[in-house]
Amino acid sequence: MVTTGEEPWFADIANYLASKYILKDLTHQQKKKLFSEIKYYFWDEPYLFQSCTDGIIRRCVFGNESRKILEHCHSGPTGGHHGAHCTTKKIFDIGFYWPITFKDATQYVKECDACQRAGNSSSRNEIPQHCIQVYEVFDVRGIDFMGPFPMLKGNKYILVAVEYVSKWAEAQALPTNDARVVVRFLKKLFSRFGVPKALISDQGTHFANDQLEKLLRKYGVTHKFSTSYHPQTSGLVYGKQCHLPVEIEHKAFWALKICNFDIAELKNNRLMQMNALEELRNEAYTSSLIYKEKTKSWHDKRIKGNKDFHEGKKVLLFNSRLKLFPGKLKSRWDGPFLVKKVFPHGAIELLSRDDTPFKVNGHRVKKYEKGIPRNEDIEEGLLLEGMVET
């Protein structure tokens, strides 16, 4: 048998069928395996054929030839860029076989540039969750603007701050959403409830500025930013139950039914509650940690693909702003871009084509698998080979 410098996977079978030759260094188990498989093969100079389990005789191929067949069946003129299963079926239908056809087809489809750029971004493209576990009351606060709303008494925005443990919300209607009003709001908040250890906000200019950073630095507050393009991870008022001071001051229905306004009895009840507070807090902390771990496990199982990005790797970016575009088949995945830096909570810094860094959210990014460049002479070579065989 003539080889092309690459040892085929069926070398031992072909050598035995063609010349009854067996390598001397084969072990007893290897010889036993060879003779158990050899009954399904037959040699017809210069090719080896296998009688497969479905009763069809297919030619055994290897190396670069199998790669060309894969490219023809997946991305050739009649390929259609189908999935690994359909591509493998095409290979079997045209009469070729090698032992890891399914594995090679899966890897080839994964590396196909056109297939990587197809489709939209969904919840399965999200990054793994990062739980924010807070132990003490007033340790961490989230802050965000709501609006703009229709103007009422000169106000268009609502600035909301939520405490992460008790879910207590403080809100104020404001005419603007600049840094000046944020600083005034926080000074009032700190004077009423004390200084928190951390403040979480999005990356808007009203929060990411020198005035606010100077105030937080003065009081020793750590300023953390939520994930880029995903401000809902701030964990603010949406879906949270809270009670406002006005409900207690003006005696809402729930306050009249639940709260005891007898000062002496209220004092005794409060002292008892303070003694049990530490025990309740420890139980709540443990239960919350278990719940968040289960939520993270359920969420991460639904994620499509590996979202573990590394510096220096290439990725594709989903262009969510591309709403109206010419052509139904135009891809929304742009790139590839080079990963410059990976942040711990989902944000990724990429390099644009002019080497300008910019930050994106990990939900909008997926790995770019670089495959072997397409050979334009594949179709012609396969057609010529088919004409010679017939």
Side-chain angles (χ1 to χ4, degrees):
M1 182 184 65
V2 179
T3 61
T4 58
E6 183 179 2
E7 187 72 14
W9 58 269
F10 52 82
D12 294 335
I13 298 174
N15 287 332
Y16 181 81
L17 292 176
S19 59
K20 303 299 180 182
Y21 175 76
I22 300 178
L23 291 176
K24 296 180 180 179
D25 55 351
L26 291 180
T27 63
H28 174 73
Q29 291 296 333
Q30 290 174 334
K31 291 180 180 179
K32 188 176 180 179
K33 181 176 181 296
L34 173 64
F35 285 108
S36 66
E37 294 178 347
I38 209 167
K39 56 187 175 184
Y40 300 109
Y41 295 87
F42 64 92
W43 176 259
D44 187 4
E45 188 72 28
Y47 299 119
L48 180 70
F49 296 87
Q50 183 196 25
S51 179
C52 300
T53 54
D54 55 2
I56 299 177
I57 297 175
R58 297 183 175 93
R59 183 164 75 85
C60 301
V61 296
F62 72 98
N64 191 44
E65 187 178 15
S66 62
R67 184 75 182 189
K68 290 181 179 180
I69 295 173
L70 261 175
E71 186 169 354
H72 180 86
C73 294
H74 178 72
S75 54
T78 59
H81 290 275
H82 296 292
H85 184 82
C86 186
T87 303
T88 305
K89 184 177 183 302
K90 284 188 176 184
I91 295 173
F92 289 160
D93 289 344
I94 61 178
F96 296 104
Y97 169 82
W98 63 95
I100 53 173
T101 311
F102 281 95
K103 180 180 178 181
D104 288 351
T106 302
Q107 184 65 25
Y108 187 88
V109 172
K110 183 180 179 181
E111 295 176 352
C112 179
D113 182 84
C115 293
Q116 293 182 71
R117 298 178 186 273
N120 293 328
S121 180
S122 65
S123 60
R124 296 191 63 195
N125 293 104
E126 293 182 356
I127 59 175
Q129 287 186 347
H130 297 275
C131 299
I132 301 176
Q133 191 73 9
V134 183
Y135 184 65
E136 295 290 343
V137 181
F138 303 127
D139 271 359
V140 178
R141 281 189 176 272
I143 187 169
D144 197 8
F145 271 102
M146 299 175 63
F149 301 103
M151 184 172 291
L152 178 64
K153 297 182 180 181
N155 298 316
K156 295 176 61 177
Y157 298 91
I158 299 177
L159 182 57
V160 184
V162 178
E163 203 281 316
Y164 263 72
V165 174
S166 64
K167 309 304 180 188
W168 184 281
E170 288 289 326
Q172 182 180 357
L174 297 168
T176 60
N177 63 340
D178 53 21
R180 180 175 50 87
V181 298
V182 175
V183 171
R184 284 208 305 261
F185 177 80
L186 287 178
K187 285 183 178 178
K188 294 180 182 179
L189 197 68
F190 293 171
S191 63
R192 291 185 59 192
F193 299 99
V195 179
K197 294 182 180 180
L199 183 72
I200 300 178
S201 69
D202 59 27
Q203 302 188 30
T205 55
H206 35 259
F207 298 126
N209 56 76
D210 295 336
Q211 297 182 47
L212 182 58
E213 292 302 326
K214 184 178 179 180
L215 174 69
L216 298 180
R217 195 182 312 115
K218 176 182 177 181
Y219 291 103
V221 181
T222 302
H223 193 187
K224 298 182 179 181
F225 293 103
S226 62
T227 310
S228 305
Y229 299 103
H230 207 254
Q232 57 264 42
T233 53
S234 301
L236 296 182
V237 299
Y238 304 105
K240 308 295 182 184
Q241 295 181 355
C242 60
H243 298 304
L244 301 179
V246 64
E247 301 179 46
I248 300 179
E249 182 179 352
H250 295 278
K251 299 179 178 60
F253 178 78
W254 72 268
L256 291 173
K257 294 296 182 182
I258 299 177
C259 297
N260 189 345
F261 291 98
D262 185 350
I263 301 300
E265 188 175 352
L266 178 63
K267 179 181 178 181
N268 295 331
N269 291 337
R270 183 57 55 89
L271 291 175
M272 288 297 297
Q273 291 173 359
M274 291 178 62
N275 292 329
L277 182 62
E278 189 67 24
E279 181 180 349
L280 295 175
R281 182 185 292 126
N282 291 332
E283 293 178 359
Y285 180 82
T286 304
S287 301
S288 175
L289 185 61
I290 295 173
Y291 169 76
K292 289 188 175 183
E293 288 178 351
K294 291 182 178 180
T295 304
K296 172 179 170 58
S297 176
W298 179 86
H299 174 273
D300 294 352
K301 286 179 181 179
R302 299 173 60 250
I303 296 176
K304 180 172 60 178
N306 185 4
K307 304 294 286 189
D308 187 16
F309 301 103
H310 300 282
E311 298 179 7
K313 298 295 185 179
K314 290 185 177 181
V315 296
L316 293 177
L317 175 64
F318 183 76
N319 192 346
S320 58
R321 299 180 181 179
L322 191 62
K323 301 297 182 183
L324 298 176
F325 54 91
K328 294 183 179 179
L329 302 180
K330 185 174 180 180
S331 174
R332 290 174 180 248
W333 294 94
D334 194 14
F337 298 100
L338 195 66
V339 177
K340 181 182 179 182
K341 187 176 180 181
V342 180
F343 295 93
H345 295 290
I348 300 175
E349 189 173 49
L350 306 178
L351 290 178
S352 61
R353 293 179 177 85
D354 56 354
D355 292 335
T356 302
F358 63 98
K359 289 184 180 179
V360 298
N361 180 268
H363 295 350
R364 303 169 60 230
V365 172
K366 68 178 180 180
K367 288 186 176 181
Y368 179 73
E369 303 288 347
K370 185 177 180 182
I372 300 176
R374 179 177 177 179
N375 186 356
E376 297 179 355
D377 298 330
I378 291 176
E379 291 83 7
E380 182 180 356
L382 287 175
L383 288 174
L384 290 176
E385 182 179 345
M387 293 174 62
V388 171
E389 291 180 358
T390 55

